[in-house]
Each structure stands twice: as C-alpha cells, then as structure tokens.
Amino acid sequence: MVNHIKNTNEKSFSAIYLVFIRFLSIVSVITLLRGVIGDFFTLPNNTNSFQDKLSTYSFLTINISTIICFIILFIKPDKLPLCSLISFIYGLGNLINPSNIGEVGIGFSMMLLFYSSLWVQGFYKNHRLVKTIISILSFVTIILTNFIYGIQAVEYIFRYILGYSIIFSVIILMLTKHFIESKYSILGRKILDLRKFMSDGSLNDRDVVWLKMILNGDKYSAIANETSVAEGTMRNRIREVFKILGVTDKKQFITIYDEALVITTQEEFQAWKDTLV
C-alpha cells in the first residue's frame, strides 16, 4: 500500500515529452560535435592573437560541457536542472566576446531561458529580492567581461540586448493581453465569472447591475440616474470594482468582457455549462 502511494505521487513524464527531449538532445549533440571538431582543427597557434586564442578555447570548453549535459539529458530526460545548466553554459559562451548579432541574440535568449528555468524550479520562492539582485548582477558581470576587448565590445552587446529586450517585452505584453482576454473564453463564449467575488463580499448586487449596464454600453451618467446614485459615488465605486476584477479602467474592462455572460451564482454557472453540452 505504501509503495502504491509512493508511485502515484512521483512525477510522470509523457512519452511525447521523453521522445522530444531525447530527439532534441541527439540533434544538439550532433550540431555541437560539428563545432567541436572544427575547433580542434583550427586550434590557435602561436601567431594568433590573445583574443582569438581565448575565444576558441572558451567555445571549445563550453561546447564540450554542453555536449556532456545533453548526453546526460538524453539518458535522464526528466532532469529539469540540466536544462538550466545547458542554458547558462551556452548563454555564457555566446555573450562573452560575441562576433555577430546572432550570437548576442542566442546568448541573451539562453540566459532568459536559464533564469526562467530557475523560476519554474522554485529558486526564487525564498529570498526573492536577494536572489533577483544576484541574478541581475551576474548577468551584467558576464557582459562587462567584454571590457578586455574594449569598451566598444560592451557597448555593442548592451545595444543589441536593449533591442532584444524591447522585442521580448512587446511579445510578452501581446501574449499576456491575449491570455487575459481569453481566460474566460470557453468554446467561443466568454463569461464574466463573479461567483468568488460575490461569495466573499467583494462585490454586491448593485455592482453587478452596474457592470452589466457598462457592458451594455450605458454611460456613467445614465447608470447613476437609473440606479438613483450620485455619479461621483458611482464612479468611485466602479474604480474599486475594476481593481477587484484586475482591470485598469472601463476601456480595458469592455475590451476583455465585451458580450460576455455575467455569472454570479453556482446555479447560473451550471446552467451555462449545460448549454455547452
């Protein structure tokens, strides 16, 4: 009985996941081996500059380390921390003296993947502020190591990282907006589920009436007159209601919940679910 419970509590990974990780590991090892072999045939000789020697030996070490990680990941595809290690190693290699914009982009993306992996694994759950500061300082330190190649090298990397940051930020904002607008969308029909807020007393029946009228396109002045409330009082309360719902203002509320079905009780929710069958 104890063994049965232990087995049911263990993390399981689907066959598709295992196949994907192992396929990715094989492709990555083959790709990296090509680079390692090339580096071996072009090892710097005494006539090469210090920068060339450092660059070649650095990438050789990083690629070999990454190959080892991918081999382990192929054998143990459930080892999520290895993904963090691979991301860090490869991000580090591409951000130390990158030769082109492509390496800057790959390095920056891999470092983002590294920090995201740490977050997923719960690394930032405790002492979040301290760990976040350390993470930022470690990232900046990696960039500043390029000072040995001159200030232009550092300026080059920071310039492109700024550009990538803007692009990633726009993408994240767009995806977040799409998620918020569709989180209550089921089978093409949006709902405004107020059950939780009604049960804990955050919202009352009058708030629901106002929200329905707003979604119906009524102006604040008309809503105040219709419900016999001073317009200023109504506006102040609506601002509080929007905060409770997690929206910034009337425009965002209508954008997200336009034509949505407002549900306040479990009976209404069940009735709505029955219409989907």
Side-chain angles (χ1 to χ4, degrees):
M1 184 68 176
V2 175
N3 290 335
H4 174 70
I5 294 175
K6 180 180 179 181
N7 291 334
T8 56
N9 287 336
E10 288 179 351
K11 290 185 178 179
S12 61
F13 294 85
S14 67
I16 295 178
Y17 172 84
L18 296 177
V19 171
F20 173 76
I21 292 297
R22 284 178 169 145
F23 173 77
L24 177 64
S25 299
I26 292 174
V27 173
S28 300
V29 168
I30 294 174
T31 303
L32 291 169
L33 274 176
R34 181 180 177 276
V36 169
I37 294 173
D39 286 340
F40 270 119
F41 280 108
T42 59
L43 285 175
N45 52 48
N46 293 330
T47 61
N48 289 111
S49 65
F50 170 77
Q51 180 175 345
D52 291 335
K53 291 180 180 179
L54 180 61
S55 178
T56 301
Y57 283 120
S58 296
F59 274 103
L60 186 60
T61 303
I62 288 169
N63 284 335
I64 292 176
S65 302
T66 307
I67 288 174
I68 294 174
C69 289
F70 272 119
I71 292 175
I72 298 175
L73 194 60
F74 175 82
I75 300 172
K76 299 284 188 179
D78 59 336
K79 299 298 182 183
L80 182 60
L82 270 180
C83 294
S84 302
L85 182 60
I86 293 171
S87 302
F88 178 76
I89 292 174
Y90 218 69
L92 180 69
N94 282 275
L95 287 177
I96 295 179
N97 189 30
S99 59
N100 54 63
I101 184 176
E103 291 182 1
V104 175
I106 293 175
F108 181 52
S109 301
M110 294 301 287
M111 292 303 292
L112 286 180
L113 180 59
F114 166 65
Y115 294 123
S116 299
S117 299
L118 292 181
W119 180 76
V120 170
Q121 296 171 58
F123 175 76
Y124 295 101
K125 187 174 182 179
N126 299 318
H127 309 293
R128 181 175 302 174
L129 179 60
V130 174
K131 291 179 179 178
T132 300
I133 293 175
I134 293 175
S135 298
I136 294 173
L137 290 178
S138 64
F139 178 73
V140 173
T141 301
I142 292 172
I143 305 302
L144 293 180
T145 56
N146 287 273
F147 263 124
I148 63 176
Y149 307 114
I151 191 172
Q152 288 186 340
V154 178
E155 189 272 336
Y156 168 85
I157 297 177
F158 272 120
R159 185 173 70 248
Y160 282 112
I161 284 181
L162 176 61
Y164 279 110
S165 298
I166 294 173
I167 294 172
F168 279 131
S169 298
V170 172
I171 293 174
I172 291 173
L173 287 174
M174 290 175 61
L175 293 177
T176 302
K177 178 177 181 294
H178 174 74
F179 171 76
I180 292 175
E181 293 179 356
S182 63
K183 67 178 180 178
Y184 291 125
S185 179
I186 303 178
L187 298 181
R189 180 67 190 273
K190 288 189 291 187
I191 66 170
L192 174 53
D193 190 351
L194 302 178
R195 289 175 297 163
K196 172 182 177 297
F197 306 116
M198 296 295 291
S199 62
D200 65 14
S202 300
L203 300 181
N204 55 48
D205 293 336
R206 188 181 64 177
D207 297 328
V208 175
V209 171
W210 288 351
L211 291 174
K212 288 181 178 179
M213 295 180 73
I214 291 174
L215 290 176
N216 194 45
D218 294 342
K219 295 182 178 180
Y220 281 172
S221 57
I223 296 174
N225 290 332
E226 182 71 20
T227 56
S228 302
V229 177
E231 185 176 343
T233 302
M234 179 260 179
R235 286 179 177 272
N236 291 334
R237 175 56 184 168
I238 282 295
R239 278 194 289 267
E240 295 177 3
V241 171
F242 287 158
K243 290 181 180 179
I244 294 172
L245 297 180
V247 296
T248 56
D249 52 27
K250 176 182 177 182
K251 182 178 180 181
Q252 187 183 42
F253 173 71
I254 294 176
T255 300
I256 296 175
Y257 298 109
D258 184 37
E259 298 183 355
L261 176 65
V262 180
I263 293 177
T264 59
T265 65
Q266 183 61 33
E267 290 74 17
E268 291 177 348
F269 181 77
Q270 187 61 48
W272 170 75
K273 283 183 64 178
D274 292 341
T275 64
L276 303 177
V277 179

